[in-house]
Structure formats: C-alpha cells, structure tokens
Amino acid sequence: MDLRELGSMGGFFALRTSADTAHGPGGTGEPPADGPPEQASTGGAEPVPPAGSAPLSRLYAGGLDPLTRRVDLVAARHSPPERRVAASIAQLGLAARLWSIGLGCAALHGRVPELDPERLYWSPGSGTPDDLWFALPPGGPRTLPATADALRAVIEDTHLAPFGDAVRRDTRISPRLLRGNEGSALAGAVRQIDTWAREHGRTAVAENARALAAALFAAPRLSGTVRGPAMRRTSCCLYYRAPRGGLCGDCVFDRPPAHGGRRA
C-alpha cells in the first residue's frame, strides 16, 4: 500500500509514518522539523514518535490532556462564546483526517489499513498533515479488504466512537452534532476523492469511494447525517457562532441563524 500516493489526494489524506520519519521528508536522512528521527530498527527498537504527540489509545482510555489542549488551542484561535464550538471544530478536524485516510486507501488501493490506536499518534498542537503519525508494524501496515464493514470497524468503531466519548467528557456537546460532523467529514472525503479522480483520469477510484460511502451512510451511525446527491449535512457544526466564523459549504442553514435560535 503506497501511502505517498494517498497523500497526493490532499493534505487531509496524508499520513506520516515511522518510515517517513526515518528518512526525512525528502528521503535524504534529514529528520522532520517537528520531531526526532526514528531510532535504528536493530534490536527490535520501536520508532520514536514526534515530540508532543501521544497515541490515541491513551486518549480513548481516559487521558484527556491531548484533547483538552486541542480544544483550548481551537478556542484561542477562534474565540467562540462557548467551549462546545471549539470542541466541535476539533472533533470535525480529526474525523475528516480519519475518514480521508480510510476511505482514500479503500478507494485507491482496495485495502483498509488497520489504524491501531496504540500506533496512531496525535499531535494536538500541530495542523494537517502533521497532526497524525503512524508507527508502522514490522512488515508494514496490516490491512483488510475494502468493504464498508471494514471501514466501519477501523474508523467508526475503533476511533470515532471513542473519540466522541472523549469529547463529551471534556465538553458538554450533543451526540447528534458529533455524528453530523462525522457524516460531513465522510462526505468531504468523497468530494475530494472525486475531484482528484477527475484530475487524474481515475474514475474507478471515485466510483469506489461513492459506493463505499453510500453503504456507510445507510448504516445506523451515519444514517440521516447528510441528504441528497450533494450530501448536505442535516445538522450544524456551530462554526457560525465563532466571531469570524460563517457557514460551511455543506451547512444545514442557508444563512447564519440568530445565536438565540434553535440549537444544532
């Protein structure tokens, strides 16, 4: 599975790995600027993750520090009147990263990488694509055949569900809003894959992505989160409530509602 080709679809699809860290961004042996190089693989030593990162398994087990830091950073950047706005933006960003990587691999390579939370590191202070780093298992990433069930197990069950639980431990926020963010993130990945496929004459890749997404949207967790061929979401991520925010391209609203209006 060529993760470098996956990254050509866009920044949200890129996944840095321990192999990249070992050889530097250009394959010249220079370490990346935001983390130390990989340790020598002799003796079974594990690669060293970037400084400031933590495995997602730690967050899912109850260690909220990385998530709290991320939400704090988003809140400082956007100055929303409520913490739940920053929490929503943070959760939407990671959901977009995970769906892009999972669906992109499935559509492009016909395989879904098993993104073990103990090996998938998150840097809450970094932006895309430097926020995720994967410690490759010996022999390369383990993969599953590209099916909706495999994507659901790897992305929804292994990551999005426990990440949503962590967000709700940090901030009081609606589960429906978080699921809406997940649906919006999946729809965004489909659109980007479609654009890439047209530009590169890879129509089969776009067809694969749309078929897999349709099956995912038909299942309970994402059912009703988007509607119509344009995959417009049926809830709002609350970004409009930030002082310099607005409506996203797939927002349920046609114009920003009054802040005292119905909750999304």
Side-chain angles (χ1 to χ4, degrees):
M1 178 179 292
D2 187 354
L3 292 175
R4 289 170 298 181
E5 184 180 12
L6 178 68
S8 72
M9 290 181 168
F12 276 83
F13 293 79
L15 177 61
R16 296 184 306 146
T17 71
S18 50
D20 301 324
T21 309
H23 302 295
T28 61
E30 293 296 322
D34 60 344
E38 182 184 7
Q39 288 180 340
S41 59
T42 57
E46 282 291 315
V48 177
S53 65
L56 281 167
S57 59
R58 187 179 305 169
L59 172 65
Y60 302 161
L64 291 181
D65 286 352
L67 175 62
T68 299
R69 181 184 173 200
R70 181 69 155 209
V71 177
D72 287 346
L73 287 171
V74 174
R77 185 177 302 134
H78 295 283
S79 303
E82 305 161 88
R83 186 172 176 80
R84 68 188 182 113
V85 179
S88 173
I89 295 171
Q91 183 255 0
L92 177 56
L94 187 66
R97 293 286 280 122
L98 292 167
W99 273 130
S100 296
I101 293 166
L103 185 66
C105 284
L108 185 62
H109 298 299
R111 307 290 297 184
V112 178
E114 293 186 0
L115 300 174
D116 184 345
E118 293 187 359
R119 290 185 169 272
L120 188 59
Y121 284 72
W122 186 41
S123 298
S126 301
T128 304
D130 294 325
D131 53 343
L132 290 180
W133 182 89
F134 189 56
L136 291 171
R142 291 184 289 272
T143 63
L144 300 169
T147 65
D149 285 342
L151 281 167
R152 191 175 300 114
V154 170
I155 306 300
E156 288 185 2
D157 298 343
T158 301
H159 289 284
L160 295 182
F163 191 81
D165 291 341
V167 171
R168 297 188 68 212
R169 288 196 299 273
D170 175 271
T171 307
R172 185 175 179 181
I173 192 168
S174 163
R176 177 175 179 268
L177 185 155
L178 297 180
R179 289 195 299 272
N181 285 352
E182 294 169 15
S184 176
L186 176 58
V190 173
R191 294 188 194 96
Q192 183 60 30
I193 292 172
D194 190 64
T195 298
W196 179 90
R198 288 198 307 272
E199 292 174 350
H200 292 80
R202 305 284 296 275
T203 56
V205 174
E207 291 169 358
N208 292 342
R210 287 193 170 272
L212 288 165
L216 290 163
F217 281 124
R221 186 175 183 87
L222 298 184
S223 177
T225 57
V226 302
R227 65 170 183 263
M231 295 183 290
R232 186 171 179 175
R233 64 181 296 165
T234 57
S235 63
C236 177
C237 71
L238 304 179
Y239 179 57
Y240 76 91
R241 296 179 69 87
R244 294 180 298 278
L247 298 184
C248 303
D250 65 343
C251 187
V252 64
F253 297 122
D254 294 318
R255 61 182 62 85
H259 285 198
R262 71 181 179 90
R263 294 165 71 93

